[in-house]
Amino acid sequence: MTEGQDAPAIEVSGLTKVFDGRKVVDGFDMSVPRGAIYGFLGPNGSGKTTTIRMMCGLLTPDGGSGTCLGYDIHREAGEIKRRVGYMTQRFSLYEDLTIRENLDFMARMYGLPHRKEKVSRALEDLGLANRSGQLAGTLSGGWKQRLSLAACMIHTPQLLLLDEPTAGVDPKARRDFWDEIRRLSAKGVTVLVSTHYMDEAVQCDFIAYIAYGKKLISGPSRDIPGMVGLTTWRVTGEALGPLEAKLRAEPDVAQIARFGDALHVSGTDKAALDRLATRYEAEGPQKWVEREAGLEDAFIYLMTGSEDNFGLKGAA
Amino acid sequence: MKLFSFARFAAVLVKEFIQMRRDRVTFAMMIGVPVMQLLLFGYAINTDPHNLPTLVEMADEGPVTRAILMGMETSDFFDFQGVVTSQADGDRALRDGTANFVVVIPPGFERDVVRGLRPTILLAADASDPVAASGAVGAIRGIVDTAMTESLTGPLAYAAQTAPPVDVTVHRQFNPEGVTAINIVPGLLAVILSMTMVMITAVAIVREVEKGTMEALIATPVRPLEVMLGKIIPYVVVGYVQTALFLVAAGTLFGVPFIGSPVAFFAGFNLYILVNLAIGFLVSTVARSQMQALQLSFFTILPTILLSGFMFPFAAMPAWAQTLGTAIPATHFLRLTRKVMLKGATLADVAGNMVAISIIMVVVIFIALKRYRGTLD
């Protein structure tokens, strides 16, 4: 066991999973530093959930190797499970148990000492102490998600695996949730979180983007736009709608995204895009300004590039 | 890491009991279904029907005729509804179901009897349902013989039948009055337990998978055996409650005797509960949703009712059906309960049935465990 503080929380290489002859995850490498918030992005069906399940010992990889918190993911799933908190995509607590019963059940699963106090404290931290007798199924989406987080934190894990934790939760609850994630990260908990949302992705220290079961790109968040290699022009002014329609027909424009009252026009061929910008600016009436491609632009580019993940997979 | 943690097993057990208590409908079903089945099967089904509607076509009348008809009436098999005047009327009554039997007394019957000519009475029966007709058809010979012996006395004694050279004494053992309930009710326990145990176990496990709670559960250090036992044992308790209910009802409502060894019964029914839980567990490894689990459970119930010897005599089935029936645990448990309750069997007498159930159980558990590992992935 390598319990050194510098050793990565997760270190996997060549991770592969085959379902019915289809490679759902294909040769996946990843290294998650301790204490980091690591964002895991990709379209639906790209293999994010399968990868996370392999890391916490729920699924046996068909190929590849790795360690999670220093334990071998093939042989030491039991040790990993005791030290990892896993929050599933769907609400996976018992709807017909009360809030307290759910937390108590989870605490028992981990064989926690001083269980009653821990559960009571978790309830107080949640702000649900006076509703502890309510059935979990009657909670709203945001509360369910906070309860889930509390349940997978009950054994104070060193690593949190969150599988699309904020799907279907309102923006306010999402913000609160991320505040909580950052608080945990500051305490030294490593967080691996998969998400669809760009505004969540930009909060991560590291990013990995996965599509078709393969990792397309990974690295520190600030390096991602450079890796994607986008040139972006910001367009402001009148009649952006008709302009957008015209630009869609231009082969050099890879992507057009609306940001408030501006259009971000991006492409991978800098020279061609610059020529196009000069031409359109001359036509007016809009104002074209070149800017550094942001993380958002990079994500939209990645997401649209692999939008038809399901369809393409069958054809490929 | 410990292979089995009693604390985690107990936690799953407690959780399962809480869920069971909150799911009022299922809870009511677990008690309601057996009671309903007991009442329906026990009271409504009779494979030895009496008082079947009968018509008479009388072309002659006399003391002998009256004696025969009187004998039929008192036998309880026949209930005379009236008289028809032609063969066409009789046929119509049989065809449209207003009568199950038409007795035809031919013209000159009385005279021919006196002359010793052995005239023929026709008993036309609606034999489309063999069960309904067979009891009465079997009894008619004896009824007529008795009537003849009683009415042809004195100077007419020569016309009466001479005694047959061989007498047969039938000794109806274990159920001398041929009461259907006494046969059906002990068998019913096999059906009730099979129905509820398989269904409830399968649904309880599949529900965790379908609702996604299984994923969170197996992400904890809990071991498969702890989950399995914790989820299954509450339903063993349900099986105990159902059996207790059944025994009380069998004795008080239906007067089914219990003359055998309680130990044999207890051992047998525990084994039977286990095998059904194993089947339910197997179903849960195949089904992807609660709906599928229900459908698959129903799929196992039909052969249990039809091929086990519960409704229809096992020996009457063709060889292939008997082979199928032998693979059904209810077949063996049914024999076990009937033997113990009605025939006073001891543990040694039912050992063969228990071995058969055990073999089925080993096979089922083997397949289920193989499949269970597959579904974790």
Side-chain angles (χ1 to χ4, degrees):
Chain A
M1 189 182 145
T2 51
E3 190 63 82
Q5 278 307 305
D6 300 332
I10 300 176
E11 177 90 80
V12 292
S13 62
L15 219 51
T16 300
K17 184 72 194 178
V18 182
F19 283 135
D20 301 326
R22 251 185 46 199
K23 275 191 181 168
V24 180
V25 175
D26 189 1
F28 188 85
D29 304 330
M30 185 188 237
S31 178
V32 179
R34 277 187 196 257
I37 301 182
Y38 202 111
F40 200 19
L41 278 90
N44 282 323
S46 54
K48 297 189 298 282
T49 301
T50 309
T51 309
I52 292 180
R53 285 179 180 171
M54 281 193 279
M55 285 170 185
C56 62
L58 285 188
L59 285 177
T60 321
D62 292 320
S65 60
T67 57
C68 188
L69 297 170
Y71 294 97
D72 188 279
I73 57 170
H74 282 278
R75 287 176 290 107
E76 296 170 305
E79 295 296 330
I80 295 174
K81 284 177 179 179
R82 278 146 61 113
R83 291 168 177 81
V84 169
Y86 172 45
M87 183 169 157
T88 55
Q89 205 167 335
R90 288 167 61 191
F91 180 68
S92 57
L93 296 176
Y94 297 94
E95 303 210 325
D96 48 354
L97 294 191
T98 66
I99 294 164
R100 181 186 288 278
E101 284 163 351
N102 266 305
L103 289 176
D104 191 62
F105 179 70
M106 279 299 162
R108 279 166 169 246
M109 286 298 107
Y110 290 99
L112 297 185
H114 314 296
R115 197 181 77 232
K116 290 235 152 56
E117 295 153 42
K118 282 197 173 123
V119 169
S120 296
R121 201 175 321 132
L123 282 168
E124 273 162 35
D125 292 347
L126 262 176
L128 283 176
N130 53 345
R131 284 160 74 185
S132 63
Q134 191 179 331
L135 293 186
T138 62
L139 288 172
S140 68
W143 278 110
K144 276 184 180 167
Q145 170 229 34
R146 293 182 66 180
L147 177 60
S148 298
L149 182 64
C152 71
M153 286 298 299
I154 193 105
H155 59 298
T156 50
Q158 300 160 28
L159 170 66
L160 262 184
L161 301 174
L162 309 173
D163 192 3
E164 292 186 17
T166 56
V169 170
D170 67 69
K172 163 88 168 67
R174 259 170 61 194
R175 223 173 17 248
D176 294 347
F177 187 78
W178 272 89
D179 288 345
E180 178 69 22
I181 297 294
R182 270 196 306 277
R183 244 195 315 280
L184 290 169
S185 170
K187 279 192 220 158
V189 177
T190 312
V191 180
L192 174 65
V193 52
S194 79
T195 179
H196 277 316
Y197 299 111
M198 284 181 300
D199 59 325
E200 294 185 359
V202 297
Q203 306 208 36
C204 300
D205 307 329
F206 294 85
I207 299 283
Y209 192 89
I210 183 173
Y212 316 108
K214 286 193 173 141
K215 194 177 72 179
L216 298 185
I217 202 166
S218 71
S221 306
R222 58 177 177 280
D223 298 347
I224 295 284
M227 290 166 142
V228 174
L230 278 188
T231 304
T232 298
W233 285 78
R234 183 180 160 91
V235 187
T236 47
E238 303 288 303
L240 287 177
L243 176 71
E244 190 177 346
K246 251 196 288 180
L247 285 172
R248 291 228 179 262
E250 294 284 350
D252 293 324
V253 174
Q255 152 186 305
I256 308 159
R258 258 272 187 186
F259 282 83
D261 60 349
L263 279 185
H264 284 195
V265 181
S266 313
T268 43
D269 186 344
K270 181 165 164 47
L273 200 69
D274 290 353
R275 274 196 304 279
L276 181 133
T278 326
R279 202 174 76 227
Y280 272 90
E281 177 141 47
E283 280 177 30
Q286 299 90 356
K287 195 166 161 323
W288 288 64
V289 180
E290 186 174 2
R291 73 187 288 274
E292 202 182 331
L295 205 48
E296 285 97 338
D297 300 305
F299 287 139
I300 298 176
Y301 178 72
L302 287 169
M303 292 259 188
T304 44
S306 46
E307 200 167 31
D308 274 334
N309 213 6
F310 275 122
L312 279 174
K313 201 175 271 177
Chain B
M1 228 179 124
K2 274 195 289 183
L3 278 182
F4 185 86
S5 148
F6 184 79
R8 283 196 301 253
F9 154 73
V12 177
L13 190 78
V14 168
K15 174 203 77 116
E16 209 63 29
F17 270 118
I18 296 175
Q19 288 184 305
M20 196 195 282
R21 201 187 64 214
R22 298 226 167 103
D23 188 357
R24 295 276 163 79
V25 177
T26 307
F27 197 68
M29 276 254 303
M30 288 185 284
I31 306 302
V33 166
V35 169
M36 185 98 137
Q37 285 194 330
L38 257 175
L39 295 181
L40 281 181
F41 277 100
Y43 281 123
I45 291 190
N46 190 350
T47 51
D48 183 22
H50 285 66
N51 300 316
L52 297 163
T54 308
L55 296 173
V56 194
E57 185 188 336
M58 285 176 106
D60 197 5
E61 207 188 335
V64 180
T65 310
R66 276 197 297 276
I68 290 173
L69 296 183
M70 191 63 77
M72 287 171 71
E73 178 100 66
T74 47
S75 78
D76 256 12
F77 282 111
F78 305 95
D79 179 18
F80 288 106
Q81 305 270 312
V83 173
V84 284
T85 49
S86 70
Q87 193 189 342
D89 286 352
D91 283 349
R92 199 177 312 116
L94 284 182
R95 209 172 298 122
D96 65 22
T98 43
N100 279 65
F101 296 101
V102 177
V103 185
V104 183
I105 311 290
F109 176 75
E110 296 279 334
R111 185 195 61 211
D112 289 353
V113 168
V114 174
R115 288 185 182 168
L117 290 178
R118 299 183 57 83
T120 303
I121 299 173
L122 174 68
L123 178 70
D126 172 4
S128 55
D129 180 357
V131 176
S134 65
V137 168
I140 189 74
R141 182 82 248 171
I143 294 169
V144 172
D145 285 350
T146 312
M148 299 304 273
T149 326
E150 279 168 7
S151 55
L152 300 178
T153 47
L156 289 177
Y158 66 91
Q161 198 192 24
T162 50
V166 177
D167 255 346
V168 178
T169 303
V170 176
H171 188 180
R172 287 172 160 243
Q173 292 201 83
F174 312 124
N175 186 2
E177 291 163 52
V179 178
T180 309
I182 286 190
N183 184 46
I184 287 265
V185 169
L188 203 52
L189 180 63
V191 173
I192 290 172
L193 283 178
S194 171
M195 238 173 116
T196 42
M197 294 288 101
V198 172
M199 198 157 75
I200 291 168
T201 322
V203 168
I205 295 174
V206 173
R207 184 173 57 199
E208 294 246 5
V209 178
E210 196 183 336
K211 290 215 159 186
T213 50
M214 189 60 103
E215 197 183 346
L217 189 57
I218 59 177
T220 71
V222 77
R223 313 283 299 182
L225 189 66
E226 294 155 8
V227 177
M228 246 183 87
L229 287 181
K231 287 194 76 72
I232 276 177
I233 285 179
Y235 300 107
V236 174
V237 175
V238 172
Y240 272 63
V241 172
Q242 288 183 334
T243 307
L245 212 68
F246 161 85
L247 284 176
V248 170
T252 54
L253 295 181
F254 303 107
V256 178
F258 191 118
I259 53 178
S261 148
V263 176
F265 181 85
F266 188 72
F269 106 87
N270 276 302
L271 194 62
Y272 186 65
I273 285 180
L274 287 184
V275 76
N276 279 304
L277 295 174
I279 293 174
F281 190 67
L282 177 62
V283 167
S284 78
T285 65
V286 180
R288 293 267 159 255
S289 65
Q290 293 185 66
M291 183 56 89
Q292 283 184 5
L294 272 181
Q295 288 169 336
L296 279 167
S297 307
F298 272 112
F299 179 73
T300 68
I301 287 162
L302 210 59
T304 299
I305 291 179
L306 295 180
L307 299 181
S308 64
F310 166 64
M311 289 283 283
F312 310 107
F314 191 81
M317 297 194 301
W320 62 266
Q322 292 199 8
T323 311
L324 274 181
T326 310
I328 299 170
T331 306
H332 307 284
F333 182 61
L334 199 114
R335 292 176 190 168
L336 187 148
T337 39
R338 282 181 183 160
K339 274 194 214 169
V340 171
M341 291 180 76
L342 308 180
K343 305 178 186 175
T346 62
L347 198 54
D349 297 323
V350 298
N353 306 107
M354 308 236 318
V355 168
I357 298 176
S358 306
I359 291 172
I360 297 173
M361 181 158 72
V362 168
V363 172
V364 171
I365 287 180
F366 179 75
I367 301 173
L369 282 181
K370 273 205 91 111
R371 286 216 40 107
Y372 182 67
R373 252 181 229 133
T375 53
L376 260 180
D377 254 30

